[in-house]
C-alpha cells in the first residue's frame, strides 16, 4: 500500500520543481525528501525521478503518480474537514502564514485566545509575505494566511480561497525629528517630492504599492534604502537617511528622533485572512477566524 507521507513528498516535488523547494515547503531537510522518494520508488518498483543537470525531474511514472497523489491528498483534506465538522470541535494542527506586522501586532493575542478556547488545537505559524503565504494556502502547504492590500491597490485573491476582512490599518509617514514637515498636524504625499524613501524589497506588493501611489501624486519615487523590518526602516529615518511608511499595526515604540505624520487623505491597509474554500467547514478554520476577528475588533477600538 502506498504511504501517504511519501505521496505528500512526491506532490511537493511536483509543485515546487526541486528537492530543495519541496524540503522548504514540507519543513524538512533535503535528505529527508530524498529518503522518502527512495522508499516510494521501492514501493512502486520503478524510478520516479531522473537526473536533470544539477537537479531532478519527474519521470513519466513520477508525473502519473504525482497526479494521483494530488487528488488523494485533496480527498484526505476533505475527509479531515468532514470528520472535524462531524466532531464539532477544533482539533489537530492548523498552519498559518502571516506578514511581519501581523505576526507582532495581531497573531500573539489571537493565538493566546485560541489556545485557551481550543486546547486540543495545535497551531504552527510561519512568517511570510502575503503573496507567498496565499500561494502556500492554494498549494495546501498552509491552512490559512493573513494578507494585506491597500485602499488604492487591491491584491488579487485566487478563486479557490475564501476571504474575511479583519481590520483597516491606518498608516502614517515617519520623518526625522528635524525634517521640514515634522511639526505639521497632517501632510499630503505630494509634499515629499524631494525626499528619499526607505522601502521594502523591490517586487514585494508593498513596494509596488508605494511606487504606484507616489507616481499617482506626480512624484517619481526616490528609493534610497531597502529594509524588510519596519523597526529597521525607522532606525534609518531617525538617522536622517529618508522617510518611510509606518503602519499602526505591530508598530511598537517609535525611536525618539522620529515623528509620525498622519496623511490627510487617509492612507490605509486592509488586513484579512484567507483559507481554501473546501476547508470552510473545518471547526479549526472557523475557530481561528473567530479569534482573529475578535482580536482585530479589540485593536480597532483600542
Amino acid at each position: 500500500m502506498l504511504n501517504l507521507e511519501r505521496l505528500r513528498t512526491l506532490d511537493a516535488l511536483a509543485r515546487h520543481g526541486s528537492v530543495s523547494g519541496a524540503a522548504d515547503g514540507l519543513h524538512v531537510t533535503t535528505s529527508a525528501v530524498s529518503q522518502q522518494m527512495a522508499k516510494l520508488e521501492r514501493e512502486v518498483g520503478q524510478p520516479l525521478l531522473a537526473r536533470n543537470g544539477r537537479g531532478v525531474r519527474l519521470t513519466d511514472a513520477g508525473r502519473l503518480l504525482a497526479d494521483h497523489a494530488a487528488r488523494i491528498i485533496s480527498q484526505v483534506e476533505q475527509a479531515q474537514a468532514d470528520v472535524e465538522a462531524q466532531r464539532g470541535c477544533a482539533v489537530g494542527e492548523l498552519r498559518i502564514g502571516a506578514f511581519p506586522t501581523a505576526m507582532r501586532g495581531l497573531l500573539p493575542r489571537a493565538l493566546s485566545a485560541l489556545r485557551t478556547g481550543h486546547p486540543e488545537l495545535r497551531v504552527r505559524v510561519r512568517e511570510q509575505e502575503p503573496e507567498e503565504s496565499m500561494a502556500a494556502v492554494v498549494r495546501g502547504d498552509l491552512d490559512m494566511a493573513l494578507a494585506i492590500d491597500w485602499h488604492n491597490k487591491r491584491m488579487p485573491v485566487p478563486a479557490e480561497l475564501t476571504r474575511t476582512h479583519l481590520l483597516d490599518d491606518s498608516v502614517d509617514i515617519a520623518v526625522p525629528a528635524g525634517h521640514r514637515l515634522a511639526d505639521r498636524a497632517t501632510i499630503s504625499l505630494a509634499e515629499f517630492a524631494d525626499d528619499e524613501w526607505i522601502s521594502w524589497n523591490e517586487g514585494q506588493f508593498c513596494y509596488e504599492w508605494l511606487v504606484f501611489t507616489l507616481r499617482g501624486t506626480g512624484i517619481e519615487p526616490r528609493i534610497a534604502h531597502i529594509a524588510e523590518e519596519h523597526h529597521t526602516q525607522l532606525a534609518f529615518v531617525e538617522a536622517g537617511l529618508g522617510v518611510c511608511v509606518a503602519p499602526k499595526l505591530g508598530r511598537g515604540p517609535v525611536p525618539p528622533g522620529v515623528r509620525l505624520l498622519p496623511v490627510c487623505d487617509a492612507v490605509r491597509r486592509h488586513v484579512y485572512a484567507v483559507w481554501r474554500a473546501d476547508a470552510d467547514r473545518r471547526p479549526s478554520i472557523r475557530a481561528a477566524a473567530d479569534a482573529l476577528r475578535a482580536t482585530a475588533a479589540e485593536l480597532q477600538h483600542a
Side-chain angles (χ1 to χ4, degrees):
M1 182 176 293
L2 295 174
N3 179 281
L4 180 60
E5 288 310 307
R6 289 167 200 155
L7 290 177
R8 287 189 187 278
T9 303
L10 176 61
D11 177 64
L13 263 169
R15 288 186 284 103
H16 292 282
S18 68
V19 172
S20 59
D24 289 342
L26 295 169
H27 304 289
V28 299
T29 64
T30 54
S31 175
V33 171
S34 297
Q35 290 173 20
Q36 289 283 62
M37 289 305 301
K39 291 176 181 178
L40 186 57
E41 287 182 329
R42 287 197 294 272
E43 285 181 351
V44 300
Q46 55 185 311
L48 302 173
L49 297 178
R51 289 287 176 191
N52 184 29
R54 294 184 177 181
V56 295
R57 62 173 177 81
L58 294 180
T59 64
D60 289 344
R63 287 195 295 272
L64 177 65
L65 187 55
D67 289 341
H68 284 289
R71 290 193 292 271
I72 290 167
I73 291 166
S74 177
Q75 287 293 318
V76 169
E77 290 174 351
Q78 290 181 34
Q80 179 185 2
D82 288 345
V83 169
E84 281 190 34
Q86 180 70 24
R87 183 173 177 179
C89 59
V91 297
E93 182 178 88
L94 189 71
R95 302 158 299 170
I96 301 177
F99 58 96
T101 50
M103 288 283 284
R104 285 197 304 271
L106 180 59
L107 266 181
R109 194 187 304 184
L111 295 186
S112 178
L114 197 57
R115 173 177 288 184
T116 300
H118 305 277
E120 294 184 70
L121 179 63
R122 301 184 308 277
V123 181
R124 291 172 54 195
V125 175
R126 180 195 310 175
E127 184 173 299
Q128 269 189 325
E129 290 301 317
E131 308 96 310
E132 297 171 350
S133 60
M134 281 203 291
V137 174
V138 171
R139 293 194 306 266
D141 295 338
L142 291 174
D143 300 300
M144 176 180 283
L146 300 189
I148 51 172
D149 58 22
W150 296 82
H151 68 288
N152 61 337
K153 189 174 179 63
R154 308 308 295 266
M155 178 179 286
V157 175
E160 305 97 309
L161 302 185
T162 294
R163 163 179 174 157
T164 186
H165 177 264
L166 297 175
L167 59 88
D168 287 341
D169 186 28
S170 60
V171 169
D172 299 322
I173 303 301
V175 304
H179 192 275
R180 68 188 186 282
L181 302 174
D183 294 330
R184 291 275 297 277
T186 61
I187 49 86
S188 69
L189 291 178
E191 295 179 89
F192 291 96
D194 297 325
D195 287 275
E196 294 184 328
W197 289 82
I198 299 102
S199 181
W200 304 270
N201 274 333
E202 186 173 357
Q204 289 186 0
F205 186 74
C206 289
Y207 176 98
E208 301 298 336
W209 166 81
L210 179 62
V211 171
F212 170 82
T213 302
L214 292 177
R215 285 176 176 164
T217 63
I219 299 173
E220 184 55 35
R222 298 169 59 193
I223 309 295
H225 306 286
I226 298 294
E228 285 286 334
E229 282 289 331
H230 285 287
H231 289 171
T232 305
Q233 294 181 6
L234 291 175
F236 272 61
V237 171
E238 185 178 36
L241 300 174
V243 301
C244 76
V245 175
K248 182 178 179 181
L249 180 65
R251 181 186 290 164
V254 175
V258 172
R259 300 291 180 268
L260 298 177
L261 306 179
V263 183
C264 59
D265 49 359
V267 175
R268 302 179 310 282
R269 303 192 303 176
H270 306 299
V271 181
Y272 52 93
V274 299
W275 58 87
R276 288 184 64 91
D278 57 16
D280 206 42
R281 295 178 60 224
R282 288 178 59 184
S284 55
I285 293 286
R286 295 201 301 269
D290 288 344
L292 287 165
R293 281 190 289 261
T295 300
E298 292 172 4
L299 292 174
Q300 293 270 252
H301 294 98

